[in-house]
Amino acid sequence: MLVHPNFDPIALSLGPLKIHWYGLTYLLAFGLFFLLALRRARQPWYAATGWTRREIEDMLFWGVLGTILGGRLGYVLFYKLSEYLANPLDIFAVWKGGMSFHGGMLGVILALILYARRRGRPWLDVTDFVAPCVPTGIAAVRLGNFINGELWGRAADPSLPWAMVFPQAGDGLARHPSQLYQAGLEGLLLFVLLWIYARKQRPIGQVSGAFLFGYGVFRFIAEFFRQPDSHLGLLALGMSMGQWLCVPMIAAGVLLWVWAGRRAR
């Protein structure tokens, strides 16, 4: 069995200022998004509609706000509502952790709606532009989860070559390194598939639908190996909260993809 290295969550200390690895992985996520978005802007159908570096910088600002605010509020609403209602000031204690991807996605959707209105662009055109640039950021943040030794996996067969003991779990069990599974599935694999799919001009809305469907499916699969939140456990039908949140995401992805194709015809 492997043992999690139990990294120091603080990457660098400069006097009273402490820079956490988790924060650096978010910076890496936003940096990768920016570089990939610049490449997307050079594709003929986007270059023809005037996507510029300045627009991408503006969109990234809105996206960062949507990610942080939506991710935090999503965690509060989906995972620990009663706890935060009892201690509402803890909602602002983001340094203690607690972010939800599904909440962050909703926050980004709202931010992109506002951005699209300001720029006079069709909203789905903006989300199609953004979608292939997102998965590498997801992979980066999942690596941050692994470095922190959080969101570990369910118990695994100790003979599994990559089974890992997470000291933070406090039980000495061999577990799946589910953070790395998620980085590989929701991050790298989804990025490769979406990037290839989006190299050709698609009907407006189809790239966004493919992202919703692909992320939902890969996250649903990864949840079978991820330890459910201790205060929630498994919910109806033996599914985790993460899986239940993926169900409407998968359905929305299919409906959007089909609708976009029919609308184009």
Side-chain angles (χ1 to χ4, degrees):
M1 289 186 298
L2 303 175
V3 178
H4 184 268
N6 203 14
F7 298 101
D8 185 343
I10 299 174
L12 182 65
S13 294
L14 299 172
L17 178 64
K18 300 184 185 300
I19 301 174
H20 290 246
W21 284 110
Y22 195 54
L24 291 177
T25 60
Y26 266 89
L27 286 178
L28 176 60
F30 296 134
L32 289 170
F33 172 88
F34 183 68
L35 293 175
L36 291 171
L38 290 177
R39 289 183 62 89
R40 287 279 282 162
R42 292 199 292 269
Q43 292 178 311
W45 52 94
Y46 286 124
T49 55
W51 279 91
T52 65
R53 182 188 183 98
R54 181 64 178 270
E55 270 199 274
I56 293 170
E57 291 171 351
D58 190 24
M59 180 175 61
L60 179 59
F61 172 76
W62 285 86
V64 169
L65 287 180
T67 299
I68 296 174
L69 296 178
R72 184 59 173 172
L73 290 176
Y75 182 78
V76 171
L77 294 174
F78 299 149
Y79 291 94
K80 289 189 174 183
L81 180 59
S82 59
E83 181 177 321
Y84 284 108
L85 286 176
N87 302 280
L89 291 180
D90 284 351
I91 294 174
F92 304 100
V94 293
W95 57 88
K96 295 182 180 180
M99 296 285 282
S100 161
F101 171 82
H102 296 90
M105 185 190 70
L106 293 174
V108 169
I109 288 174
L110 178 58
L112 292 182
I113 290 173
L114 297 174
Y115 170 82
R117 292 186 64 181
R118 280 169 53 91
R119 290 290 182 175
R121 292 186 177 277
W123 173 60
L124 285 176
D125 186 51
V126 174
T127 59
D128 282 352
F129 180 89
V130 165
C133 309
V134 172
T136 54
I138 297 173
V141 173
R142 291 306 178 198
L143 289 178
N145 295 142
F146 179 76
I147 291 171
N148 281 352
E150 61 189 3
L151 306 183
W152 52 75
R154 303 187 193 191
D157 187 336
S159 64
L160 188 70
W162 54 86
M164 183 173 290
V165 174
F166 287 86
Q168 301 89 337
D171 52 19
L173 292 177
R175 296 180 176 276
H176 290 281
S178 57
Q179 313 97 322
L180 301 182
Y181 296 178
Q182 291 186 261
L185 287 173
E186 306 160 12
L188 300 181
L189 180 55
L190 182 58
F191 166 70
V192 170
L193 294 176
L194 272 182
W195 195 261
I196 292 173
Y197 181 70
R199 287 174 65 181
K200 177 182 176 182
Q201 188 173 14
R202 304 288 178 179
I204 185 170
Q206 279 203 336
V207 175
S208 302
F211 171 81
L212 291 173
F213 176 79
Y215 178 86
V217 168
F218 289 145
R219 173 67 181 269
F220 192 93
I221 294 170
E223 284 284 331
F224 284 114
F225 302 95
R226 176 173 161 173
Q227 182 70 21
D229 295 87
S230 58
H231 59 287
L232 292 177
L234 294 176
L235 307 177
L237 302 180
M239 288 164 48
S240 67
M241 174 61 83
Q243 287 175 316
W244 275 111
L245 292 174
C246 284
V247 170
M249 193 173 182
I250 294 170
V254 172
L255 292 173
L256 179 57
W257 192 89
V258 172
W259 171 83
R262 291 180 176 176
R263 181 172 178 267
R265 288 195 295 270

